Amino acid sequence: MIWFLWPGRIYLEKCGESELRKAGECFSLAGCHELAADVYAKGNYISECLTACSKGKLFEMGLNYIKCWKQNTTNECSTAERSDEIDKIEQMFLEKCALYYFEIKDKRSMMKFVKEFNSMDSIRNFLNPLCCLDELLLLEEEKEYFIEAANIAKLRGDTLRRVDLLGKAGKFKDSANLLLFHVLAKSLWSPGNNGWPLKQFKEKGDLLRKAKSLARNDTYSFYEIVCTEADIIANEESELITVVNQMITSERHNSVTGEILSARKVLDMHLSLRTKYYWKEELVTDVMKHSEDMIFKNVSIESLVYVWNIWKDKIVGVFESLRCLETPKVNKFRNYGEFCLNYLGVWNWRDFSNSNPIFGLLYPEAEWAKNIDKRSYSDPDRKSRRRSNSGKLASIELHQLVSAAQRYWCSEMVSVGVMVLDRLQGLYDFPIQNCDVIFYKSRALTLIYEVATFLLDEKILKLRHHESESLLKYN
């Protein structure tokens, strides 16, 4: 098509600016796209100029033209004069260039064009379907859209990044709660951990101090809750009275997480073989008051069963929250449901009101999730499939979560209940010295019967045959 080159030069040299379009057409037909683009640009033929750049893969050249046109418009203070049509033309060119670099896996060059898109919405609409979450997150943060950036960090399973972004957005309460969630889940389910008890890890103390610092920016009541929960999760060596006070503070602030975790810690202290039990040789008329008083002073069989009842009643609440997730009653047990999700290291990707809520697993290989069919892992939407395949947050649907969580809490309830029964049985077999043995053993048998009957009769536990047989020996 070389013969089109000379007519183009003639139009350019003889006719000047009046025939720039025709000169550009000739250069374009001759395959001289760079020359055509330059001629079109001089005539302000934007669409034709960018078409020539596109045909010749002169992407950088086209980008420079766009920047220049925008700059000229800004300098002339006539932004309103730029028509929607021009914006569309430029946007189409930029998207085509960005897609080209995406397909050849040159994301650095891709982002040069993406950053020139005409709006943040157009950037999101382009990057999201391509699953370029890392690039979008950086851009959202750069433009100070911190909430949007935090939502992307959530999809990526990057809790600590999301904590920082929520903090930058001034969402200190959400940020502090999220940090506690991260530390709790990591203490229980990070690789090598199989759940309770809470484990230590290198940065745990620093993260809990940061949670307290974030909470200080909210109300004093919230700050006190976070401090209490953080101290419980820290799981440092503590006296019984300290943990009991944490349990009482949690109850006062209606902190289900604090109540359940501290009650379990107090229960573990009672079940420890090193714990020395005491006995009051008189009939207790107010068992609850006696247990509350006794637990601050000494450990007794009454206080053991008292704390067991606190803990198991809370876990029954967790079962109720799981049972009601798909019903309007979810709000009644919301605190228990949130505790359950946090404890298991689960993020709710969609609100409970959504017809098909999806939940992300922070630790997909956690012990409680091992019975979930990995082939049935799903994602919030079709494009998220690539996210989980890229090592992002794995996910499950509501029915999978409920089933796996029920199995876990059933196992926990039975396991802890049997430990309580074994401890009571041991105390029955070897009575405390200098006590009324008949009276002591009668009370021990009563408590054994009470605990065993609950485990056998509670329908939510769905005991297996060998578990029922094992419990019947206590009844």
Side-chain angles (χ1 to χ4, degrees):
M1 308 285 281
I2 193 66
W3 50 85
F4 285 105
L5 185 59
W6 292 109
R9 291 195 181 280
I10 293 172
Y11 279 122
L12 186 61
E13 294 171 4
K14 302 296 184 182
C15 303
E17 293 186 5
S18 63
E19 297 294 347
L20 287 177
R21 184 191 291 272
K22 289 183 178 180
E25 288 174 358
C26 290
F27 292 137
S28 184
L29 289 170
C32 299
H33 300 296
E34 185 173 354
L35 189 55
D38 185 56
V39 170
Y40 282 134
K42 286 179 181 178
N44 208 31
Y45 300 118
I46 294 175
S47 178
E48 291 85 348
C49 175
L50 294 180
T51 298
C53 290
S54 182
K55 286 181 178 179
K57 289 188 170 54
L58 304 170
F59 303 134
E60 294 286 347
M61 186 177 180
L63 179 61
N64 289 332
Y65 281 132
I66 289 173
K67 288 180 178 180
C68 183
W69 293 328
K70 287 182 177 179
Q71 185 63 41
N72 290 339
T73 301
T74 302
N75 291 340
E76 294 168 10
C77 301
S78 57
T79 305
E81 294 178 7
R82 284 180 62 87
S83 67
D84 290 340
E85 187 62 31
I86 292 176
D87 284 339
K88 288 179 182 178
I89 292 168
E90 291 178 347
Q91 181 65 25
M92 287 174 63
F93 173 78
L94 292 170
E95 287 184 10
K96 184 174 182 179
C97 297
L99 189 59
Y100 169 81
Y101 284 112
F102 172 80
E103 289 173 347
I104 65 172
K105 297 180 171 53
D106 184 357
K107 289 188 177 181
R108 185 173 182 179
S109 296
M110 176 190 77
M111 290 306 296
K112 285 201 299 186
F113 292 88
V114 169
K115 288 179 179 180
E116 296 299 323
F117 282 13
N118 56 27
S119 69
M120 198 62 210
D121 281 341
S122 63
I123 291 174
R124 292 171 186 138
N125 292 337
F126 179 82
L127 293 178
N128 264 319
L130 300 178
C131 298
C132 295
L133 296 183
D134 294 343
E135 291 75 19
L136 181 56
L137 191 155
L138 286 171
L139 204 52
E140 297 278 15
E141 186 175 9
E142 181 183 310
K143 294 181 177 293
E144 298 188 358
Y145 294 115
F146 298 121
I147 297 297
E148 290 80 1
N151 289 335
I152 297 171
K154 180 178 182 178
L155 285 174
R156 295 174 69 247
D158 192 341
T159 51
L160 295 183
R161 185 72 177 277
R162 188 171 178 232
V163 165
D164 289 337
L165 290 165
L166 288 172
K168 288 180 179 180
K171 301 290 185 179
F172 300 112
K173 189 171 187 176
D174 292 339
S175 186
N177 280 330
L178 182 61
L179 198 45
L180 290 180
F181 158 77
H182 172 82
V183 177
L184 176 60
K186 188 168 184 177
S187 299
L188 291 164
W189 307 112
S190 60
N193 295 345
N194 295 321
W196 191 268
L198 297 163
K199 315 300 189 304
Q200 304 300 330
F201 54 91
K202 187 177 179 181
E203 66 274 21
K204 186 173 183 177
D206 291 337
L207 293 176
L208 291 174
R209 281 188 288 273
K210 183 176 180 179
K212 293 179 182 180
S213 177
L214 288 165
R216 197 184 291 274
N217 294 289
D218 204 85
T219 64
Y220 179 77
S221 175
F222 177 70
Y223 174 67
E224 191 174 9
I225 292 172
V226 169
C227 287
T228 301
E229 290 187 9
D231 290 341
I232 295 169
I233 294 171
N235 201 31
E236 296 173 344
E237 199 73 34
S238 303
E239 297 291 331
L240 176 62
I241 190 171
T242 301
V243 186
V244 171
N245 278 323
Q246 290 170 343
M247 185 170 68
I248 292 171
T249 302
S250 298
E251 183 180 12
R252 186 172 74 249
H253 287 290
N254 196 29
S255 167
V256 172
T257 296
E259 286 183 86
I260 294 177
L261 297 181
S262 56
R264 180 64 192 273
K265 289 177 72 174
V266 173
L267 197 51
D268 285 350
M269 290 177 173
H270 277 70
L271 295 173
S272 171
L273 294 176
R274 295 176 296 175
T275 300
K276 187 176 180 181
Y277 278 70
Y278 293 82
W279 175 249
K280 191 170 184 178
E281 293 190 25
E282 61 184 55
L283 184 64
V284 177
T285 55
D286 190 338
V287 176
M288 182 172 292
K289 185 177 185 309
H290 167 73
S291 300
E292 290 174 348
D293 293 339
M294 194 70 176
I295 204 170
F296 276 103
K297 302 172 185 176
N298 300 304
V299 172
S300 69
I301 59 173
E302 302 286 355
S303 63
L304 167 61
V305 177
Y306 171 72
V307 179
W308 152 256
N309 284 330
I310 290 176
W311 181 80
K312 61 95 170 167
D313 287 346
K314 294 296 178 184
I315 302 306
V316 169
V318 172
F319 273 104
E320 288 294 326
S321 74
L322 291 169
R323 188 173 62 84
C324 297
L325 277 180
E326 296 175 292
T327 73
K329 291 183 180 179
V330 65
N331 289 327
K332 182 179 178 181
F333 296 98
R334 181 172 292 277
N335 289 343
Y336 290 92
E338 288 177 355
F339 162 77
C340 182
L341 296 181
N342 291 342
Y343 188 93
L344 298 177
V346 174
W347 266 349
N348 182 17
W349 262 333
R350 291 179 178 167
D351 293 335
F352 289 135
S353 57
N354 191 286
S355 60
N356 184 32
I358 298 291
F359 300 86
L361 305 182
L362 206 58
Y363 296 102
E365 301 305 317
E367 189 70 25
W368 72 271
K370 282 189 175 179
N371 289 327
I372 300 174
D373 184 359
K374 301 300 187 293
R375 293 171 301 175
S376 62
Y377 274 174
S378 60
D379 294 288
D381 46 48
R382 187 173 56 192
K383 66 196 174 196
S384 298
R385 179 80 55 190
R386 295 166 72 175
R387 294 184 195 133
S388 60
N389 290 342
S390 301
K392 308 306 183 191
L393 203 66
S395 61
I396 56 174
E397 295 179 356
L398 176 59
H399 70 93
Q400 297 171 307
L401 170 65
V402 170
S403 178
Q406 285 176 335
R407 284 195 300 269
Y408 172 76
W409 288 114
C410 177
S411 175
E412 279 291 283
M413 181 85 83
V414 173
S415 174
V416 175
V418 169
M419 286 192 287
V420 171
L421 289 170
D422 286 342
R423 193 70 167 119
L424 289 171
Q425 185 67 55
L427 292 168
Y428 171 83
D429 292 336
F430 300 97
I432 296 170
Q433 292 182 352
N434 303 319
C435 72
D436 184 334
V437 175
I438 295 176
F439 182 65
Y440 176 87
K441 286 199 168 191
S442 297
R443 184 56 185 155
L445 281 175
T446 301
L447 294 175
I448 289 171
Y449 177 80
E450 177 186 316
V451 174
T453 299
F454 166 79
L455 294 172
L456 285 165
D457 293 349
E458 183 55 64
K459 291 182 173 53
I460 61 174
L461 294 182
K462 298 177 182 177
L463 298 175
R464 290 169 291 184
H465 178 72
H466 75 275
E467 291 172 331
S468 298
E469 289 294 314
S470 178
L471 288 169
L472 282 171
K473 70 180 183 181
Y474 296 103
N475 207 338

